[in-house]
Amino acid sequence: MSKLPTFYTGDRILDAVALPLLSVGQVAFLAIGVFTTRDAFGALHAGELLSALTLFKLIGAGIGAAALEVLRRICAERLGQSYASSLRIVLYRHLAGMHKRELDARRLGALSLRFVGDLSAARNWYGWGLPRVISAAVVLPGAALVLWLLDPRIALTGCIVLALSLLLMAIAAIGFEMLHQTLRTRRASIAITMMERIVIAPVLDLMGRTQQELDALAEKGRQLRSDATARAWRAGALGAIPQIGLAVAGAAALWQAARLDTAPGTAAAILSMLCILALPLRDLAVSWDHFNGWRIARQKALNLLAQHSRLRLPASASHPVGITASGALDDQPVNLIIPAGSTGHLRGGDARQLSSLALLLAGLDERPELQVTYGADAVDLPRIHFIGENPIALQGSLRRTMTLGISPRPKGEKILQMAQDFGLGHLLPLGCKSLKARISEAARNIPVADSLRIDLVRIALANPDLVVIDTTRLAADPENALLLELLRAKTDSTIVVVDHEGLTGLSYHFQPLSDARNPNHPINL
């Protein structure tokens, strides 16, 4: 099982150590400022002029505390971004190693939220919440010590009031996670709904569902507003408690100072320190909000990472491989022997079972009841290319799409010639310059027939050990037989084509094609 990234590791160690040290430095500067304030008020009360050293210390304390705050925020942001980046890598690595069947069963919008909302929650906690908790853990005891040094009796009064405020904050924080969970569920529902409907919105409109979708969206918006208001009320109350506590503490300190006939300078210094305490106490309330957000996102990430995942490590050898598959699939016997370098159709069973078997042969799935081996090596995966219903295309240039996963990348002339051989000359009116043309994700901006031929061009350029083709895009192409013959001529690969038009039977079988290797002429549309 994959694990979440460790907090104190790598480039985060320096920032994690620097945060409490910077907070200690801030306390030191604040202490200098408070004691200097006491001396300044004492001098004013005595009718004396303020010395240049006093003014310098006041200004220096302010500048020093502000500079350390800037450095603290930089370290905190670096910490949050670093952890989010590590989590992003862990999640993607895990998804890349999952079985395609399990991945297809999950909602795309929900998976996308692991890389948007959950990463934001991680960054907010480690980049904002946790650093401020660390700072508060240093500043609050330091401030209590400064108050004690100013006047133990007044400090005791103020600390008792602040301790009661912290206790009330802890009580108010109970149940905050449930409010956060409800709000997160509402937000996730809207986000997932929009992700899944944006692409098909025009088609839904054609079906007359637009008003229904708008009504549903409006209702979810009203529910989200209600839940967000409830959470905002609790968060506001949580943040107001320390403000009220500080006001009461200030009043109690003044009452105690008047009763004890404390010097005005000392009273002013104590009030200054109490005002300074407002920020870390308020930060604790906001940090609790971020912590609850991360705690929920963390559980979602752990649930995903608990799924089986193992990265595929293809062998570096470049030669066609034979396949042996024995066992059963959905209680249907499987006993396949596919010779190395052959080309043929996989038949038997129904369409769903054939697609499942294709994923198993391509190394994209595993079943304990079916053993698949490649050639004489039963351990390493060969270099496999799989063509399914969805084109393999990332947003970028045509050159990038045609050479995904190929290293080193072929020269433009070779790519251009291969594309022309597979009947894509109409996409390349300007020769190699046309390879810079932009392709959208999933190749949505080009015809389906062209997307298939682009996938075939990529295979021909890569010359993998095994090719598994399971797509109706091939059957729908009127020149599918010629395409297979051309692919056979351009590669040494073992080529397995799922034939959904084949006859069903009690077991699967592989029907080799004739070894026709003479399609050296380009295919014309």
Side-chain angles (χ1 to χ4, degrees):
M1 183 180 93
S2 301
K3 297 181 179 179
L4 293 174
T6 304
F7 177 60
Y8 292 103
T9 186
D11 60 351
R12 293 189 288 276
I13 294 179
L14 181 61
D15 291 324
V17 172
L19 281 172
L21 295 179
L22 291 172
S23 297
V24 171
Q26 283 184 302
V27 172
F29 278 116
L30 293 176
I32 293 173
V34 168
F35 282 108
T36 305
T37 300
R38 182 191 63 179
D39 296 339
F41 270 85
L44 292 174
H45 183 70
E48 301 174 357
L49 293 177
L50 295 180
S51 66
L53 179 60
T54 298
L55 295 176
F56 176 79
K57 288 166 65 176
L58 282 173
I59 296 173
I63 293 175
L68 292 184
E69 176 63 18
V70 171
L71 292 176
R72 188 176 69 86
R73 291 194 177 191
I74 292 174
C75 290
E77 184 65 24
R78 283 166 47 89
L79 197 64
Q81 292 291 347
S82 175
Y83 189 87
S85 177
S86 297
L87 180 58
R88 186 182 299 115
I89 291 172
V90 167
L91 290 174
Y92 183 84
R93 181 187 296 273
H94 189 85
L95 290 173
M98 287 181 62
H99 296 155
K100 191 174 184 302
R101 167 176 49 90
E102 296 177 351
L103 206 56
D104 290 342
R106 292 177 171 268
R107 298 181 72 178
L108 180 59
L111 289 176
S112 299
L113 288 181
R114 302 289 84 79
F115 291 90
V116 182
D118 291 353
L119 285 180
S120 295
R123 185 177 64 252
N124 288 339
W125 168 239
Y126 286 106
W128 204 104
L130 182 59
R132 280 158 175 77
V133 171
I134 295 174
S135 178
V138 175
V139 171
L140 291 178
L145 176 61
V146 172
L147 288 173
W148 187 267
L149 294 175
L150 287 170
D151 192 311
R153 296 166 297 179
I154 299 178
L156 181 61
T157 301
C159 288
I160 290 175
V161 175
L162 292 179
L164 291 175
S165 298
L166 289 174
L167 179 60
L168 289 176
M169 289 175 64
I171 295 174
I174 297 175
F176 198 83
E177 182 182 3
M178 184 178 300
L179 292 173
H180 219 289
Q181 175 68 68
T182 303
L183 180 59
R184 186 185 188 280
T185 301
R186 299 286 190 204
R187 286 174 173 168
S189 176
I190 292 177
I192 293 172
T193 299
M194 289 298 97
M195 289 178 188
E196 293 177 344
R197 283 164 172 74
I198 285 174
V199 178
I200 60 173
V203 179
L204 292 176
D205 183 59
L206 189 64
M207 298 166 60
R209 277 190 57 95
T210 297
Q211 189 58 48
Q212 183 177 345
E213 296 293 338
L214 292 175
D215 291 342
L217 187 60
E219 177 60 27
K220 289 184 177 181
R222 285 189 289 269
Q223 295 173 347
L224 177 62
R225 182 178 60 184
S226 175
D227 294 331
T229 302
R231 174 177 163 272
W233 182 90
R234 179 68 70 87
L238 194 61
I241 290 175
Q243 298 285 350
I244 297 173
L246 285 170
V248 174
L254 286 176
W255 175 81
Q256 187 77 318
R259 191 177 67 86
L260 299 174
D261 197 20
T262 304
T266 300
I270 290 174
L271 289 178
S272 297
M273 181 54 73
L274 289 175
C275 291
I276 291 172
L277 285 175
L279 185 59
L281 287 174
R282 190 176 64 227
D283 285 347
L284 285 178
V286 180
S287 296
W288 180 249
D289 185 18
H290 290 314
F291 173 71
N292 279 280
W294 164 237
R295 183 161 57 175
I296 296 170
R298 179 179 180 272
Q299 189 57 51
K300 294 290 185 179
L302 286 174
N303 292 341
L304 176 61
L305 295 176
Q307 302 297 315
H308 171 79
S309 175
R310 180 169 62 87
L311 287 177
R312 303 157 187 86
L313 300 175
S316 58
S318 179
H319 55 79
V321 296
I323 309 175
T324 301
S326 58
L329 180 63
D330 295 339
D331 297 326
Q332 184 169 331
V334 178
N335 187 17
L336 287 176
I337 298 178
I338 301 176
S342 62
T343 300
H345 290 284
L346 182 64
R347 293 184 168 129
D350 59 26
R352 180 186 60 82
Q353 292 173 333
L354 275 172
S355 293
S356 297
L357 183 55
L359 293 177
L360 290 163
L361 297 181
L364 293 172
D365 198 1
E366 293 179 359
R367 299 285 183 92
E369 65 272 18
L370 183 66
Q371 182 179 10
V372 179
T373 56
Y374 306 94
D377 192 345
V379 179
D380 293 334
L381 276 176
R383 296 181 305 117
I384 304 175
H385 277 227
F386 176 81
I387 296 181
E389 289 298 334
N390 298 318
I392 303 174
L394 302 177
Q395 182 169 319
S397 67
L398 185 58
R399 180 196 301 270
R400 181 192 187 196
T401 301
M402 288 183 174
T403 58
L404 276 176
I406 303 177
S407 181
R409 176 181 289 179
K411 293 183 178 180
E413 292 78 7
K414 184 176 182 180
I415 302 172
L416 181 64
Q417 183 60 53
M418 193 68 73
Q420 290 173 339
D421 289 345
F422 276 89
L424 294 173
H426 62 285
L427 294 181
L428 308 163
L430 301 178
C432 288
K433 292 183 178 180
S434 300
L435 294 176
K436 297 181 180 180
R438 304 298 292 178
I439 300 295
S440 67
E441 66 274 11
R444 293 201 305 266
N445 62 332
I446 62 175
V448 174
D450 289 344
S451 71
L452 169 66
R453 295 177 185 230
I454 288 176
D455 288 340
L456 295 177
V457 167
R458 184 187 309 111
I459 292 174
L461 291 170
N463 192 24
D465 306 326
L466 171 63
V467 178
V468 179
I469 302 176
D470 178 21
T471 172
T472 56
R473 289 184 293 154
L474 179 62
D477 196 307
E479 295 184 321
N480 60 79
L482 192 56
L483 285 172
L484 284 179
E485 291 176 0
L486 180 60
L487 186 64
R488 172 74 281 161
K490 297 293 185 181
T491 69
D492 299 321
S493 312
T494 303
I495 303 174
V496 180
V497 181
V498 174
D499 185 0
H500 290 293
E501 301 297 328
L503 298 175
T504 60
L506 296 178
S507 62
Y508 301 98
H509 60 279
F510 181 74
Q511 180 177 331
L513 300 178
S514 59
D515 190 13
R517 292 179 176 242
N518 191 32
N520 293 321
H521 58 281
I523 296 178
N524 297 315
L525 292 177

